[in-house]
Amino acid sequence: MILTVTLNPSVDRALEVDALIRGEVLRAADSHIDPGGKGVNVSRALLANGVRSTAVVPTGGAEGEQLVDLLNAEGVELLSVPIAGRTRSNITLAEPDGTVTKINEAGPVLSDAEFAQVSKAVLDAAANADWVVICGSLPPGPSIDAFADLCSRLVGAGSRLAVDSSGPALLAGVAAGAALVKPNREELAEAVGAEPATLGDVIEACRRLRAAGAGAVLASLGADGAILVDADGVLAGVSPVSVPRSTVGAGDALLAGFLSAGARGAAALTEGLAWGAAAVSLPGSRMPTPADLDRTHVRVTPDPDPSRPLHS
């Protein structure tokens, strides 16, 4: 079982528009409402592909009730921790060329007592999990020290911890000795203080995170695919998408596929890239099912050319 933790979940409304024009009245060609949050998406993707997962989420207000209803409707195993604040709502505007505009609320304040309740739920459930995956942004309220303590307690208890976050939260996971961290290009640049221009820059940044404590680094790079740097070396992979519809949740699907296939080596990276590409081909934040997956377009190579430039 893979336990996911989403400290700042959401209800996501995705609208498809012909073109995003400021100041105009726009008509949506299609719309979707999905449960949101990076860890939630990981659980949804795993479930859609027959891998057991439990999602831990703090929920509050009418939107929190809606989030629980949406997750129950999809059959997601759920540990909901009630909070006083209102679960946030996010809006995604998707254009036909694949351009995505997101409007994300900050989310409710999580008090120290509420964060302690969430942490207890995570630590209790972690005993039965193969992986504990903490994903997404921190909500207002919890200190980075409290988050770092949760990561350290999980690692100290023997859990295999994966962290997909940004800024200080990502670095806290690294320092705690997370078995896996999954930054995207922007998060990787923020973590090491330098914008990567080539694959070599990405590889060097991943190695710096490993030297700081992470067991493995899976860097998602959008159109440039993904880079995996671990104790076995370096792998690079790409999976082109002919008709992109939404990038929302693509990195979450990538992580879910990677974990589902053992989280190591070319086979796991291939699976992750296939899941991520399938998510890009779907509207809103829908997660791919086995029928959506096409592994034939995935290309994974060891020791890629470090001079290869990244797309701007």
Side-chain angles (χ1 to χ4, degrees):
M1 188 269 286
I2 296 176
L3 183 74
T4 69
V5 183
T6 309
L7 296 173
N8 202 9
S10 61
V11 175
D12 285 358
R13 180 183 294 274
L15 306 174
E16 295 189 17
V17 297
D18 291 334
L20 181 59
I21 306 172
R22 291 184 61 199
E24 296 290 332
V25 175
L26 307 177
R27 294 189 181 278
D30 200 0
S31 65
H32 310 274
I33 297 179
D34 296 302
K38 295 177 73 65
V40 164
N41 286 338
V42 171
S43 281
R44 293 171 63 220
L46 290 167
L47 174 66
N49 289 273
V51 181
R52 187 184 169 204
S53 177
T54 299
V56 179
V57 289
T59 57
E63 289 82 356
E65 293 177 3
Q66 185 180 23
L67 175 61
V68 170
D69 289 343
L70 288 167
L71 289 169
N72 284 337
E74 292 191 12
V76 176
E77 293 185 27
L78 189 62
L79 289 175
S80 176
V81 181
I83 61 172
R86 175 183 62 83
T87 298
R88 63 180 177 154
S89 295
N90 296 335
I91 297 174
T92 298
L93 301 174
E95 299 175 72
D97 65 355
T99 300
V100 172
T101 303
K102 289 204 70 179
I103 305 172
N104 289 351
E105 291 186 337
V109 173
L110 215 60
S111 70
D112 290 344
E114 289 169 338
F115 185 74
Q117 289 179 320
V118 174
S119 297
K120 183 179 186 305
V122 172
L123 289 163
D124 288 347
N128 299 314
D130 299 306
W131 281 90
V132 179
V133 188
I134 304 179
C135 300
S137 61
L138 294 185
S143 69
I144 194 62
D145 288 340
F147 178 76
D149 180 66
L150 173 60
C151 292
S152 295
R153 291 174 69 185
L154 286 165
V155 173
S159 295
R160 287 193 293 177
L161 174 65
V163 175
D164 180 2
S165 191
S166 60
L170 175 66
L171 294 177
V174 171
L180 173 69
V181 295
K182 196 214 72 63
N184 61 26
R185 179 173 171 175
E186 292 75 21
E187 292 160 352
L188 190 64
E190 182 182 15
V192 301
E195 178 68 34
T198 65
L199 285 187
D201 294 337
V202 173
I203 293 167
E204 176 57 28
C206 292
R207 284 174 171 157
R208 286 177 60 181
L209 294 184
R210 287 200 69 235
V217 182
L218 175 63
S220 55
L221 305 173
D224 291 295
I227 293 285
L228 173 64
V229 180
D230 60 15
D232 297 326
V234 179
L235 292 172
V238 294
S239 185
V241 177
S242 56
V243 183
R245 295 189 67 181
S246 174
T247 58
V248 179
D252 310 326
L254 166 71
L255 178 57
F258 182 73
L259 292 171
S260 77
R264 186 169 186 174
L269 183 56
T270 297
E271 196 71 2
L273 286 164
W275 289 33
V280 173
S281 303
L282 297 170
S285 56
R286 290 189 182 179
M287 292 293 106
T289 67
D292 300 311
L293 303 179
D294 183 359
R295 300 168 184 83
T296 62
H297 295 297
V298 180
R299 298 290 180 268
V300 172
T301 58
D303 300 318
D305 178 6
S307 66
R308 195 183 93 191
L310 301 177
H311 291 83
S312 57

